[in-house]
């Protein structure tokens, strides 16, 4: 569509007073103004799609989700050619795109600064988190769940091979957590869709989530997100349950429970004030008074579905 509009601009009558349809010299640049405009438009489309069903239908038919998933397509981004300098050649726009697996990727994305690319990737995942649950069939048809899983795996700071040559996901100190959390939340929102247990399981989804859960550097929220996805993958699914056992996932879950028990501080029932201190300490903790760690709840749920 971009090429058609720019070609129409080239063939327009120079005496015309009508504004050009598009100017390829200013479209999709890496300037701060262009990126901010893109983010504003994404937010508006996200809000419109959430507001009314008819709006959502238009957003889906326009392949807006496909455009957002382009920012998570690690293989395509890594294969994109370096963009050439803008010139007066009418074929400049077509040379600045590359086709990978049927998806056209603008070469300008390859040339974006990492900080700018990561900002766009985080916002793309935030918008998809709003749209994907409302249009699950379209998201699944675009293989959004597969792209999100591969993106999450490529974000692994400990995997030098995956991050060394991948401009799309090479983490910085400030962006790594945001990219990982965004991918995890997106997967949580769609992992329950029909057929995804098989697909994600066959793509090492169980192993990837276990790796995220076992990462001692990750925060409790990210580990909790990973174990929630793991529980969904294993629920009533014998193959994924077997993958969990083969990857020593059950022992990891039990280790987490043991660690929680050791650091847990029981809360005694306050209404037994007249009892001796020894008697109060011997009484069971009150579930209404004790604040339960959400992570341990997720671990128990995962263990329930995994064995």
């Amino acid at each position: 569509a971009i090429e058609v509009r720019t070609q129409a601009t080239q063939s327009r009558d120079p005496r015309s007073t009508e504004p050009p349809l598009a100017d390829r010299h200013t479209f999709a640049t890496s300037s701060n103004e262009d990126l901010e405009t893109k983010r504003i438009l994404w937010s508006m489309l996200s809000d419109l799609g959430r507001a009314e069903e008819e709006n959502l239908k238009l957003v889906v038919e326009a392949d807006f989700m496909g455009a957002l998933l382009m920012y998570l397509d690690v293989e395509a981004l890594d294969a994109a050619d370096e963009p050439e300098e803008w010139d007066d050649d009418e074929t400049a726009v077509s040379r600045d795109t590359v086709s990978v697996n049927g998806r056209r990727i603008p070469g300008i994305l390859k040339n974006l600064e990492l900080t700018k690319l990561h900002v766009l990737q985080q916002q793309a995942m935030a918008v998809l988190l709003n749209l994907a649950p409302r249009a699950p069939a379209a998201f699944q048809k675009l293989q959004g769940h597969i792209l999100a899983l591969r993106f999450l795996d490529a974000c692994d700071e400990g995997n030098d091979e995956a991050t060394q040559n991948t401009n799309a996901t090479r983490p910085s100190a400030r962006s790594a957590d945001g990219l990982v959390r965004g991918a995890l939340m997106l997967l949580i929102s769609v992992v329950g869709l029909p057929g995804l247990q098989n697909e994600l399981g066959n793509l090492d989804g169980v192993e990837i989530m276990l790796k995220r859960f076992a990462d001692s550097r990750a925060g409790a929220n990210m580990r909790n997100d990973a174990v929630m996805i793991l529980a969904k993958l294993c629920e009533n699914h014998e193959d994924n349950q077997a993958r969990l056992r083969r990857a020593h996932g059950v022992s990891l879950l039990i280790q987490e429970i043991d660690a929680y028990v050791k650091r847990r501080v029981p809360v005694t029932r306050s209404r037994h004030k007249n009892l001796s201190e020894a008697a109060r300490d011997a009484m069971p903790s009150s579930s209404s008074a004790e604040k339960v760690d959400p992570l341990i709840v997720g671990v128990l749920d995962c263990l329930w579905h995994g064995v």
Side-chain angles (χ1 to χ4, degrees):
I2 296 170
E3 295 176 17
V4 171
R5 293 176 68 85
T6 52
Q7 289 171 7
T9 299
Q10 290 298 311
S11 60
R12 64 190 287 269
D13 187 346
R15 295 169 296 180
S16 173
T17 58
E18 295 294 325
L21 293 174
D23 185 348
R24 69 179 184 276
H25 296 85
T26 58
F27 180 81
T29 72
S30 59
S31 68
N32 292 331
E33 293 81 4
D34 188 48
L35 296 179
E36 188 61 28
T37 300
K38 188 189 302 289
R39 295 182 63 194
I40 293 173
L41 290 174
W42 287 4
S43 296
M44 291 176 61
L45 289 171
S46 178
D47 291 341
L48 289 170
R50 180 172 52 189
E52 293 184 10
E53 190 66 26
E54 187 63 27
N55 292 343
L56 178 63
K57 182 180 178 181
L58 293 174
V59 168
V60 171
E61 290 177 350
D63 197 27
F64 179 47
M65 287 199 296
L68 295 174
L69 287 169
M70 174 181 66
Y71 290 83
L72 308 184
D73 195 336
V74 176
E75 293 181 1
L77 287 172
D78 210 31
D81 295 329
E82 290 288 346
E84 300 180 17
E85 295 293 332
W86 290 108
D87 52 35
D88 292 331
D89 190 340
E90 293 184 7
T91 64
V93 172
S94 61
R95 286 206 313 270
D96 281 326
T97 63
V98 63
S99 180
V100 180
N101 297 328
R103 188 186 299 277
R104 296 188 67 79
I105 305 295
I108 190 67
L109 294 184
K110 188 73 174 180
N111 207 34
L112 277 176
E113 298 175 14
L114 283 179
T115 52
K116 293 180 178 180
L117 179 57
H118 290 167
V119 167
L120 291 177
Q121 287 172 329
Q122 289 184 41
Q123 180 150 355
M125 287 187 283
V127 175
L128 286 168
L129 185 61
N130 175 38
L131 297 178
R134 291 176 168 81
F139 183 81
Q140 193 168 355
K141 184 178 180 180
L142 291 167
Q143 297 187 323
H145 54 294
I146 297 175
L147 295 176
L149 182 67
R150 289 174 176 168
F151 182 85
L152 174 65
D153 193 32
C155 284
D156 186 2
E157 290 182 282
N159 189 346
D160 294 334
E161 182 179 354
T163 59
Q164 184 177 0
N165 297 314
T166 304
N167 189 39
T169 56
R170 190 181 300 120
S172 64
R174 295 184 178 181
S175 64
D177 285 353
L179 294 174
V180 171
R181 188 73 194 279
L184 285 170
M185 293 180 67
L186 181 57
L187 286 169
I188 287 175
S189 70
V190 299
V191 69
L193 295 177
L196 261 60
Q197 284 179 303
N198 284 330
E199 291 189 55
L200 296 179
N202 292 333
L203 292 170
D204 298 328
V206 171
E207 292 81 359
I208 291 172
M209 294 307 151
L210 270 178
K211 181 171 59 178
R212 285 291 166 195
F213 170 73
D215 187 358
S216 59
R217 301 166 300 177
N221 289 334
M222 285 193 287
R223 296 184 67 215
N224 190 37
D225 290 344
V227 82
M228 287 175 61
I229 297 172
L230 195 57
K232 286 290 187 181
L233 289 175
C234 293
E235 185 176 2
N236 299 322
H237 197 286
E238 293 184 1
D239 289 343
N240 286 345
Q241 290 170 354
R243 292 185 177 101
L244 180 70
R245 292 192 296 271
R246 287 196 298 267
H248 308 290
V250 174
S251 61
L252 283 174
L253 295 170
I254 293 175
Q255 289 174 18
E256 186 68 27
I257 295 174
D258 288 340
Y260 172 78
V261 171
K262 291 177 180 178
R263 67 175 182 267
R264 174 175 173 263
V265 179
V267 179
T268 57
R269 299 179 183 274
S270 59
R271 66 173 178 267
H272 298 285
K273 296 180 179 179
N274 296 329
L275 295 178
S276 65
E277 182 176 352
R280 289 199 306 268
D281 290 341
M283 295 194 66
S285 173
S286 171
S287 60
S288 61
E290 182 177 1
K291 184 177 181 180
V292 181
D293 186 354
L295 177 59
I296 202 64
V297 175
V299 169
L300 290 170
D301 184 54
C302 185
L303 194 60
W304 176 266
H305 291 299
V307 297

